[in-house]
Amino acid sequence: MWLLLALLQAAVLPARPCEAPAEAALAVRAFAARLLGLAMESGQDADPGIYVGLRLGNEHDLSMEQRYLQNLQDTFQGLYGRSLHAASHPSHGHQHRDTDSVPETGRLALYLLGLRATCPPPDPTTQRFPVTWLKYYLEKDWAGSRHHGHPLTSYYQYSLGVLALCVHHKRVREEVIQRLLVAEQHRRFRHVDGNAVDTEAVAALAFACLEKEKHIGARLAAELQAAVHRTKARLVEAQRADGLIGNAFSTPLAMQVFIATNTCRTAYGRAMAALLRHLDSFTSAATMAQAVLALNGRSYLSIASMQCQEELGTLTPIFLEPMPLGPHNVTVRLVVECPVLGCPQQLLYDSLVSAPAGASLLDLLRAAPPQGSKNFTFETQDTTYGPFLTSVQGMAARPKERHYWQLLSRLGTSLHMGVADYRPKDGNTVILRLSEW
Ligand code: B12
């Protein structure tokens, strides 16, 4: 009888206000199955952001998730399962991070969010050292921000760090929080494409989490609340006529802010409709894992109140075939610019490149002909967003100087995709420019 009533209710009531509409359920399920497929086939190490996406979906492949968690723990416990003291006095045979290395604030934060989303929860002692390491990295980032005017990693990773500590109910020093509040007030969150939405959203999630913490005083709570309000207003302002907030890839993070603050009204509904129309644009596991949360009406904050109930182990992976190429060729102009200090010359390469229609920019880089006596050379580094271009014509971008190889169109606009996802059309020009961010 109760079951019948529950089924009837599900059939009559609309989906919860912060979820995809019921008629999109199949599309959302297929999307989660594609993420599962990517997570299973990727030859890379397990990634904490992907694990969070898998855990916060409505359906699961529980044994795969278990294996994935094991891989994650092998990697992270090896690096952060020991005290900071042990890291500065290493013993033989132990893999470890030393205290001088670049902070891994973002990945460690996502790892801790993942552990908190695990059912049944893992042994709490496994979280002790990673939490201490995250606090240490956040302090390093904070000190870096006082010195350089920005965190050593990025405000995105800094926000993830604050958020993860908050979700674990760990205290964050007020000065560390204030740094983020000041950055929010002074609008310091721009990404290379001029889109600040991703970082603003993660910072607002951190503020929304902190605001609810018991140890936060009334004055700071009011400041945090005001920052969340301001961010929401800016997200609504950033909403385009087609409903996207920023671009397709920042929209799910913006939606998380509405979900976390229970304000799933007009802007959220329009964003959800737009996101559902753009699901095919998502090809990398990292961006898909972010989108799965929003599609299921969840946010990183949902992890704080997650209850372990029986979970549906009904998800089966979808593996997509690579896009067919050709039969015709496209010809694209490839330009390499090097306008920063230390470049041998401004223009490092300018040539037409031919490849089968549908080829990615990465395929084009591989097909680029020599110029003069010099071969075209480049290097990439694998990430869960896809291959990240690190070096072109022997010029490596130096992360410490905040240099990176930016991808632009002929009109100078920054592309919204990486080298493996962007597929230039016949007659296009693509510029690779060594830029500062
Ligand atoms: C910060 C950031 C950057 C910084 C990273 C440097 C740093 N030290 O933090 C810089 C400015 C270098 C950057 C560059 C680019 N970015 Co960016 N970036 C982000 C942002 C805001 C956060 C990434 C992060 O820290 N993740 C968390 C950490 C823990 O994960 P991680 O795997 O360690 O992240 C590292 C790499 O993945 C890499 N990375 C950053 N961006 C990109 C983009 C691509 C395509 C790849 C393969 C790798 C990569 O840098 C991260 C930090 O080390 C995301 C927003 C988001 N929604 O995820 C956009 C985002 C990932 N970037 C994006 C884009 C488009 C780019 C560029 C292609 C822009 C361009 N036209 O040049 C370039 C990459 C070009 C290249 N050389 O291959 C898109 C990707 C969309 C997609 N289809 O996958 C996002 C989602 C923003 C958006 N809403 O459009 N980015």
Side-chain angles (χ1 to χ4, degrees), residues 259-280:
I259 295 167
T261 53
N262 247 317
T263 39
C264 295
R265 290 187 295 262
T266 326
Y268 171 86
R270 286 183 52 219
M272 175 64 90
L275 179 61
L276 288 168
R277 286 195 302 274
H278 282 84
L279 291 184
D280 287 344

Tab-separated table of all heavy atoms in Angstrom, residues 259-280:
chain	number	residue	atom	x	y	z
A	259	ILE	N	21.428	25.624	-5.774
A	259	ILE	CA	21.012	24.393	-5.083
A	259	ILE	C	21.366	24.482	-3.603
A	259	ILE	O	20.539	24.224	-2.735
A	259	ILE	CB	21.687	23.157	-5.736
A	259	ILE	CG1	21.189	22.971	-7.172
A	259	ILE	CG2	21.429	21.892	-4.916
A	259	ILE	CD1	22.002	21.981	-8.007
A	260	ALA	N	22.614	24.896	-3.329
A	260	ALA	CA	23.094	24.930	-1.942
A	260	ALA	C	22.321	25.936	-1.103
A	260	ALA	O	22.224	25.792	0.115
A	260	ALA	CB	24.584	25.262	-1.922
A	261	THR	N	21.783	26.972	-1.747
A	261	THR	CA	21.078	28.004	-0.985
A	261	THR	C	19.567	27.908	-1.193
A	261	THR	O	18.831	28.833	-0.858
A	261	THR	CB	21.571	29.411	-1.402
A	261	THR	OG1	21.456	29.514	-2.836
A	261	THR	CG2	23.019	29.637	-1.008
A	262	ASN	N	19.136	26.801	-1.782
A	262	ASN	CA	17.710	26.544	-1.980
A	262	ASN	C	16.971	27.655	-2.708
A	262	ASN	O	15.886	28.062	-2.289
A	262	ASN	CB	17.040	26.336	-0.613
A	262	ASN	CG	16.588	24.907	-0.513
A	262	ASN	OD1	16.038	24.370	-1.500
A	262	ASN	ND2	16.837	24.278	0.611
A	263	THR	N	17.582	28.181	-3.750
A	263	THR	CA	16.921	29.247	-4.504
A	263	THR	C	16.782	28.814	-5.965
A	263	THR	O	17.349	29.420	-6.861
A	263	THR	CB	17.695	30.582	-4.409
A	263	THR	OG1	19.095	30.281	-4.455
A	263	THR	CG2	17.373	31.361	-3.169
A	264	CYS	N	16.062	27.716	-6.155
A	264	CYS	CA	15.956	27.142	-7.500
A	264	CYS	C	14.748	27.714	-8.227
A	264	CYS	O	13.772	27.015	-8.499
A	264	CYS	CB	15.906	25.631	-7.403
A	264	CYS	SG	17.438	24.985	-6.745
A	265	ARG	N	14.798	29.023	-8.465
A	265	ARG	CA	13.660	29.641	-9.153
A	265	ARG	C	14.036	29.922	-10.603
A	265	ARG	O	14.656	29.099	-11.250
A	265	ARG	CB	13.238	30.901	-8.406
A	265	ARG	CG	12.594	30.577	-7.057
A	265	ARG	CD	12.041	31.816	-6.405
A	265	ARG	NE	13.122	32.749	-6.058
A	265	ARG	CZ	13.661	32.832	-4.834
A	265	ARG	NH1	13.213	32.075	-3.871
A	265	ARG	NH2	14.620	33.688	-4.587
A	266	THR	N	13.667	31.085	-11.105
A	266	THR	CA	13.767	31.359	-12.540
A	266	THR	C	15.153	31.129	-13.120
A	266	THR	O	15.309	30.385	-14.084
A	266	THR	CB	13.354	32.829	-12.808
A	266	THR	OG1	12.347	33.151	-11.885
A	266	THR	CG2	12.857	33.004	-14.217
A	267	ALA	N	16.180	31.775	-12.536
A	267	ALA	CA	17.523	31.677	-13.117
A	267	ALA	C	17.971	30.220	-13.152
A	267	ALA	O	18.528	29.743	-14.144
A	267	ALA	CB	18.507	32.508	-12.302
A	268	TYR	N	17.694	29.495	-12.074
A	268	TYR	CA	18.106	28.091	-12.002
A	268	TYR	C	17.379	27.268	-13.077
A	268	TYR	O	18.003	26.465	-13.780
A	268	TYR	CB	17.796	27.541	-10.604
A	268	TYR	CG	17.993	26.056	-10.520
A	268	TYR	CD1	19.234	25.520	-10.235
A	268	TYR	CD2	16.927	25.181	-10.759
A	268	TYR	CE1	19.427	24.153	-10.186
A	268	TYR	CE2	17.101	23.812	-10.713
A	268	TYR	CZ	18.355	23.304	-10.427
A	268	TYR	OH	18.538	21.957	-10.390
A	269	GLY	N	16.083	27.480	-13.190
A	269	GLY	CA	15.288	26.709	-14.156
A	269	GLY	C	15.779	26.944	-15.577
A	269	GLY	O	15.914	25.997	-16.377
A	270	ARG	N	16.076	28.197	-15.893
A	270	ARG	CA	16.567	28.519	-17.256
A	270	ARG	C	17.948	27.909	-17.472
A	270	ARG	O	18.276	27.425	-18.551
A	270	ARG	CB	16.634	30.039	-17.450
A	270	ARG	CG	15.233	30.663	-17.611
A	270	ARG	CD	15.337	32.149	-17.865
A	270	ARG	NE	16.233	32.460	-18.953
A	270	ARG	CZ	17.074	33.502	-18.972
A	270	ARG	NH1	17.139	34.302	-17.944
A	270	ARG	NH2	17.837	33.709	-20.022
A	271	ALA	N	18.774	27.917	-16.419
A	271	ALA	CA	20.121	27.338	-16.528
A	271	ALA	C	20.007	25.824	-16.746
A	271	ALA	O	20.736	25.245	-17.565
A	271	ALA	CB	20.934	27.644	-15.280
A	272	MET	N	19.111	25.186	-16.008
A	272	MET	CA	18.940	23.733	-16.150
A	272	MET	C	18.500	23.397	-17.590
A	272	MET	O	19.043	22.479	-18.216
A	272	MET	CB	17.899	23.238	-15.138
A	272	MET	CG	17.547	21.775	-15.280
A	272	MET	SD	18.945	20.666	-14.959
A	272	MET	CE	18.796	20.396	-13.203
A	273	ALA	N	17.534	24.158	-18.110
A	273	ALA	CA	17.052	23.892	-19.471
A	273	ALA	C	18.208	24.044	-20.465
A	273	ALA	O	18.377	23.221	-21.382
A	273	ALA	CB	15.910	24.847	-19.810
A	274	ALA	N	19.017	25.085	-20.269
A	274	ALA	CA	20.148	25.323	-21.180
A	274	ALA	C	21.182	24.207	-21.048
A	274	ALA	O	21.706	23.703	-22.049
A	274	ALA	CB	20.785	26.674	-20.867
A	275	LEU	N	21.449	23.796	-19.813
A	275	LEU	CA	22.448	22.738	-19.597
A	275	LEU	C	21.996	21.450	-20.291
A	275	LEU	O	22.799	20.765	-20.943
A	275	LEU	CB	22.629	22.510	-18.092
A	275	LEU	CG	23.617	21.420	-17.678
A	275	LEU	CD1	25.024	21.734	-18.179
A	275	LEU	CD2	23.657	21.266	-16.156
A	276	LEU	N	20.711	21.141	-20.175
A	276	LEU	CA	20.202	19.915	-20.807
A	276	LEU	C	20.376	19.977	-22.326
A	276	LEU	O	20.612	18.966	-22.969
A	276	LEU	CB	18.726	19.704	-20.437
A	276	LEU	CG	18.503	19.274	-18.981
A	276	LEU	CD1	17.021	19.372	-18.590
A	276	LEU	CD2	19.005	17.849	-18.741
A	277	ARG	N	20.290	21.178	-22.891
A	277	ARG	CA	20.490	21.317	-24.351
A	277	ARG	C	21.964	21.178	-24.726
A	277	ARG	O	22.283	20.942	-25.882
A	277	ARG	CB	19.983	22.688	-24.836
A	277	ARG	CG	18.480	22.833	-24.905
A	277	ARG	CD	18.091	24.072	-25.729
A	277	ARG	NE	18.659	25.307	-25.207
A	277	ARG	CZ	18.103	26.046	-24.253
A	277	ARG	NH1	16.948	25.664	-23.712
A	277	ARG	NH2	18.665	27.160	-23.836
A	278	HIS	N	22.873	21.361	-23.755
A	278	HIS	CA	24.314	21.356	-24.064
A	278	HIS	C	25.045	20.117	-23.561
A	278	HIS	O	26.281	20.117	-23.526
A	278	HIS	CB	24.990	22.602	-23.460
A	278	HIS	CG	24.746	23.840	-24.265
A	278	HIS	ND1	23.618	24.593	-24.130
A	278	HIS	CD2	25.478	24.430	-25.233
A	278	HIS	CE1	23.669	25.610	-24.974
A	278	HIS	NE2	24.791	25.540	-25.653
A	279	LEU	N	24.320	19.086	-23.173
A	279	LEU	CA	25.008	17.930	-22.570
A	279	LEU	C	26.069	17.337	-23.491
A	279	LEU	O	27.087	16.822	-23.041
A	279	LEU	CB	23.994	16.849	-22.153
A	279	LEU	CG	23.086	17.215	-20.978
A	279	LEU	CD1	22.202	16.033	-20.584
A	279	LEU	CD2	23.889	17.685	-19.771
A	280	ASP	N	25.825	17.428	-24.812
A	280	ASP	CA	26.791	16.830	-25.746
A	280	ASP	C	28.111	17.593	-25.809
A	280	ASP	O	29.100	17.078	-26.323
A	280	ASP	CB	26.197	16.767	-27.164
A	280	ASP	CG	25.146	15.677	-27.230
A	280	ASP	OD1	25.126	14.828	-26.318
A	280	ASP	OD2	24.336	15.701	-28.186
